[in-house]
C-alpha cells in the first residue's frame, strides 16, 4: 500500500504546565484509506490535527516525525498537500463571499463550475456562493468549510468533526461526499466523536485516550460484543453504544 502520511513517536509537551498532552503517537495513512480517530472530549483529537499541520501555539513543544510522502511536513504543505475541514465555522473569512473562498482553492479549468458542483453535492443552493459567512446558518457554514477543503488539490484530508450541527439529510450528504473523496484516491483522517459516522466511513479506527492511542483496529472488528477488540477501553466504548448493550462507558473504565 502507498503510504501518504506517517506519524511516528509524536508527542506534544505543554511547557507551562510541564506535562504531555500527546505522547508516543504512531500511525500511517494510505492513499484511499479512511482512518477514524475517536475518543472522549479532551482526549487530544483536535490537538493531533493541529500537530500534523504544524499549527501549535508557542507554549506547546512538538517532538517526533510527521511525514508526507517520506519527508517532514512543513507549513507549505497546508492547503496544498494536506487540507483541514476545521471544527470551528469561524475559520471562514468574514469579509469574503463564500464563492470566492471556495474558488480560490480549486485548481481546474472552470473553478466556478467545480465550486457549484461541490455545493450541490453537499445540498447547498448556488446562491450560497453570493453570501458572506454571517449570512449562513451553522449547518450551512460547516458544509461550506467541507466544500472549501474538498475543492483543494490536497491528497490528505483531515476532517475534524465534520458532522455536528447537521441534520440527518445533511449528515448523509457529507458522508457520501467523503466516500467520493476516498474513492478518488485521497486519504482521510476522520476525527469524530460520532461512532456511527466512523463505522460508516472508516477502514480502520484509532482510539485515543488521555493523549495516547490505545488501539488501532480494523473497522470490522466492531461487531458482536467486541470480542475481536483488544483494549478494555475500546471494548467499553463499543459496548456503550445504544445499538449494543447500553453499558455505561464510565462503569467499564
Amino acid at each position: 500500500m502507498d503510504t501518504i502520511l506517517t506519524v511516528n513517536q509524536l508527542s506534544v509537551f505543554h511547557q507551562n504546565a510541564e506535562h504531555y498532552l500527546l505522547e508516543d503517537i504512531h500511525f500511517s495513512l494510505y492513499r484511499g484509506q479512511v482512518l477514524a480517530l475517536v475518543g472522549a472530549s479532551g482526549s487530544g483529537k483536535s490537538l493531533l490535527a493541529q500537530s500534523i499541520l504544524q499549527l501549535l501555539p508557542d507554549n506547546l513543544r512538538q517532538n517526533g516525525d510527521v511525514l508526507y510522502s517520506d519527508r517532514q511536513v512543513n507549513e507549505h504543505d497546508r492547503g496544498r498537500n494536506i487540507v483541514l475541514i476545521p471544527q470551528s465555522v469561524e475559520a471562514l473569512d468574514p469579509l469574503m463571499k463564500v464563492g470566492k473562498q471556495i474558488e480560490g482553492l480549486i485548481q481546474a479549468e472552470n473553478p466556478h463550475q467545480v465550486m457549484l458542483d461541490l455545493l450541490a453535492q453537499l445540498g447547498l443552493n448556488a446562491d450560497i456562493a453570493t453570501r458572506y459567512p454571517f449570512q449562513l446558518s451553522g449547518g450551512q457554514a460547516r458544509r461550506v468549510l467541507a466544500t472549501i477543503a474538498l475543492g483543494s488539490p490536497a491528497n490528505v484530508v483531515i476532517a475534524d468533526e465534520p458532522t455536528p450541527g447537521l441534520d440527518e439529510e445533511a449528515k448523509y450528504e457529507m458522508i457520501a461526499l467523503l466516500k467520493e473523496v476516498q474513492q478518488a484516491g485521497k486519504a482521510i483522517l476522520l476525527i469524530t466523536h460520532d461512532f456511527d459516522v466512523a463505522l460508516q466511513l472508516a477502514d480502520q479506527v484509532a482510539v485515543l485516550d488521555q493523549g495516547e492511542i490505545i488501539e488501532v483496529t480494523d473497522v470490522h472488528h466492531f461487531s458482536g460484543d467486541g470480542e475481536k477488540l483488544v483494549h478494555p477501553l475500546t471494548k467499553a466504548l463499543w459496548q456503550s453504544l445504544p445499538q449494543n448493550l447500553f453499558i455505561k462507558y464510565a462503569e467499564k473504565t
Side-chain angles (χ1 to χ4, degrees), residues 92 96-119 126 128-130 144 147-153:
L92 291 169
M96 185 183 294
K97 289 183 178 180
V98 165
K100 291 296 182 183
Q101 296 191 53
I102 299 172
E103 288 185 40
L105 286 173
I106 295 173
Q107 296 182 3
E109 291 184 6
N110 190 343
H112 182 74
Q113 186 58 53
V114 173
M115 180 265 295
L116 293 177
D117 290 343
L118 284 170
L119 289 176
I128 288 287
T130 66
V144 165
T147 305
I148 291 172
L150 299 174
S152 82

Side-chain angles (χ1 to χ4, degrees), residues 161-196:
E161 300 285 5
T163 56
L166 302 182
D167 59 31
E168 286 304 312
E169 182 178 356
K171 183 187 290 189
Y172 174 81
E173 291 163 351
M174 178 70 76
I175 291 171
L177 184 56
L178 289 171
K179 285 181 177 178
E180 288 185 22
V181 171
Q182 178 192 21
Q183 290 166 3
K186 296 188 180 187
I188 301 174
L189 178 61
L190 173 67
I191 298 172
T192 183
H193 71 272
D194 190 330
F195 214 88
D196 287 334

Side-chain angles (χ1 to χ4, degrees), residues 86 88-94 101 145:
S88 174
V89 297
E90 294 179 1
L92 291 169
D93 186 338
Q101 296 191 53
L145 285 170

Side-chain angles (χ1 to χ4, degrees), residues 26-28 33 35-37 204-207 213-218 221-222 230 234:
H26 297 261
F27 67 85
S28 295
Q33 180 195 22
L35 174 65
L37 183 68
Q204 287 190 308
V205 177
V207 182
I213 291 180
I214 59 172
E215 185 167 355
V216 180
T217 189
D218 191 278
H221 291 170
F222 291 91
V230 175
T234 308

Side-chain angles (χ1 to χ4, degrees), residues 123-136:
L124 295 170
N125 294 326
D127 67 346
I128 288 287
T130 66
R131 300 182 193 176
Y132 289 94
F134 75 89
Q135 296 174 306
L136 306 178

Side-chain angles (χ1 to χ4, degrees), residues 63-83:
N63 294 308
D65 295 318
V66 180
L67 307 176
Y68 174 83
S69 293
D70 297 326
R71 63 165 179 76
Q72 291 286 347
V73 168
N74 58 56
E75 65 273 14
H76 301 296
D77 289 306
R78 292 197 298 265
R80 182 180 303 168
N81 295 315
I82 306 172
V83 67

